[in-house]
Every structure is written in structure tokens, then in C-alpha cells.
Amino acid sequence: MEEVILVDMNDVEVGAMEKMAAHQQAILHRAFSVFLFNDQGEMLLQQRAFSKYHSAGLWTNTCCSHPKPGESLDKAVHRRLKEEMGIEADVEKAFDFIYQAELPDHLNEHEFDHVFIGKYQGPILLNDLEVAGYLYLSIEEVQLNLQSNPEEYTIWFKIAFSRVVEWYKNNFSKI
């Protein structure tokens, strides 16, 4: 049974709960999203596996998940990058946000999402239980795709994207 860390609106831990129950009951819990860019400034996107219990087959950021109870965000980010994409990369915390969104099948995302951004230029070894595919796109290409095909992207990606672009333009040369 996989558990998530329950938090308050200030990201203070208040308990733990089974992951599916937290998504069924819309309980606020800690999550993270990782956005990686290559040396050409292209964003590495993943297509979620078609077997995922929600948002299956949708395009999203490089990696996203939840830390386990007792696990630091930093450790969780690096663990999941390795598990999902076969990647080891340096990342830095860019910002966080809270969102709540209804999903099909009576599920509800209510997450305190910590966003990490970094550079990566190297091999990708997909875990096909987690990821169906990947591609690199320029920010402009992603913006055009989001405008013409928003239904092909995860809800958290659509919420975070403009802030990631803003952060990228102001900070990316420094990392």
C-alpha cells in the first residue's frame, strides 16, 4: 500500500494516507513535478503510461510523483527521476503551488506541488510501467500544442507551464 504525506496549506505535514484514498477524498497532500531541459533549451516531456490509474496517455513534465512518508523531497525527486526515466540530474526548487482538480473515475487531485527545474543531456531509459514515450519540444512548440490540443496534457502541467516558462527565462542561464 503506497501512502502520501498529508499537508496543510503551508505544506506542514499533518499525517499520511493511502494514495488512492487521498485521491478519492480530495485530501491535500505533498507532490512534486520535475521539468528538465536539454542544452538547446528544449523541454523534456513524458507521455504517461496508458496503464496509469489517472491521466493515462497524457503528456506532462519530465517526472512527477509524491514523496513517501519520512522521505525528503530531494530524495523523492531523484528516486522518481531514476525510476521513471532512468535519469540522474541536478535540479533546483523553482516554486510551488496548490491545485485541486476533478479527474475521471471519481478521483480528485488536491496537491501541494513542489516544482523542480534542471538541465539534462544524456540517455533516457524509460520504465514502460510508468512512461509510454518522451520527446523534447521547444517552449514555443509546447505553447502551440497546449493551445491547439489542451486535452492531451495533464492538469498540473497546464497549471504550472506558464510559471515554468517565466522561471526559465529569468533563471535558466544560472543553472
Side-chain angles (χ1 to χ4, degrees), residues 90-109:
D90 291 330
V91 296
E92 69 177 61
K93 172 90 179 275
F95 61 90
D96 51 54
F97 67 100
I98 296 173
Y99 74 100
Q100 186 169 1
E102 289 186 33
L103 301 170
D105 299 324
H106 308 288
L107 297 176
N108 194 309
E109 290 274 61

Side-chain angles (χ1 to χ4, degrees), residues 7-12 28 98 110 112:
V7 296
D8 67 14
M9 298 299 276
N10 296 309
D11 195 39
V12 174
L28 183 62
I98 296 173
H110 192 193
F112 194 110

Side-chain angles (χ1 to χ4, degrees), residues 22-83:
H23 285 117
Q24 291 168 334
Q25 298 174 39
I27 307 296
L28 183 62
H29 57 280
R30 188 173 292 151
F32 61 85
S33 297
V34 180
F35 289 77
L36 294 180
F37 293 83
N38 65 15
D39 291 342
Q40 291 74 46
E42 297 169 316
M43 185 181 287
L44 174 56
L45 301 178
Q46 71 152 270
Q47 183 179 31
R48 289 170 59 86
F50 289 91
S51 60
K52 292 290 229 178
Y53 70 96
H54 75 77
S55 306
L58 297 182
W59 288 95
T60 196
N61 45 288
T62 309
C63 171
C64 46
S65 191
H66 310 91
K68 298 176 183 180
E71 181 181 40
S72 71
L73 268 170
D74 185 62
K75 185 173 181 182
V77 164
H78 289 93
R79 173 180 56 82
R80 289 303 291 170
L81 270 173
K82 188 74 169 164
E83 290 173 357

